[in-house]
Amino acid sequence: MSHQYHDRIRALERRAERAGESLDPDPPAEDRAMELLREGVGPTVSLYCEARTGDSWVRFGEAEFDRLEATMNDWLALYARCYGVELETTHTIREAAELLVDTHNIKDVAVVLTGVPER
């Protein structure tokens, strides 16, 4: 796998860790939830889409792929916490990418995957 993707995955992981440490929302914190989508969920899913649709199809190693999915799920859990919901999500990055292609809206992706906020 390209070193470029390794570094980007690690940066997204670190940002999720820092966001989790600083997250103390008074639910609902919709503005903070949208910020987390823009800063974390969106870039994480976009990294996967870029790797799969760019000029050269990138094959992630198993560990890298697991880290990418775990990072996306961490961001989704932070998003849900903004609405007072504690979740441990285990969605696949492919599922999120397909939803993003279908909806063109990262908030719709988060709502479908987490059920938060309830419709």
Side-chain angles (χ1 to χ4, degrees):
M1 179 197 0
S2 167
H3 191 64
Q4 166 195 4
Y5 287 102
H6 171 81
D7 292 345
R8 290 171 62 191
I9 292 169
R10 184 63 192 134
L12 287 163
E13 284 176 320
R14 287 183 179 147
R15 286 192 353 224
E17 290 167 8
R18 285 192 303 272
E21 291 167 0
S22 68
L23 188 65
D24 187 23
D26 183 15
E30 292 180 26
D31 289 344
R32 181 66 173 134
M34 286 304 301
E35 187 177 308
L36 292 168
L37 293 177
R38 283 189 305 272
E39 291 178 3
V41 179
T44 304
V45 176
S46 293
L47 186 147
Y48 173 81
C49 290
E50 176 188 319
R52 291 298 197 247
T53 61
D55 290 336
S56 61
W57 197 82
V58 174
R59 178 160 171 70
F60 292 100
E62 185 176 342
E64 292 295 326
F65 191 78
D66 290 348
R67 286 177 52 215
L68 186 62
E69 281 193 336
T71 299
M72 180 200 64
N73 282 298
D74 289 347
W75 281 110
L76 287 170
L78 292 171
Y79 162 83
R81 281 179 48 200
C82 289
Y83 293 94
V85 177
E86 294 290 330
L87 288 178
E88 284 193 34
T89 63
T90 57
H91 297 287
T92 67
I93 192 99
R94 181 179 177 157
E95 179 182 11
E98 288 173 352
L99 284 168
L100 185 59
V101 167
D102 289 345
T103 66
H104 302 284
N105 185 312
I106 198 63
K107 181 165 184 175
D108 290 344
V109 171
V111 171
V112 168
L113 294 179
T114 65
V116 176
E118 287 185 31
R119 294 180 182 211

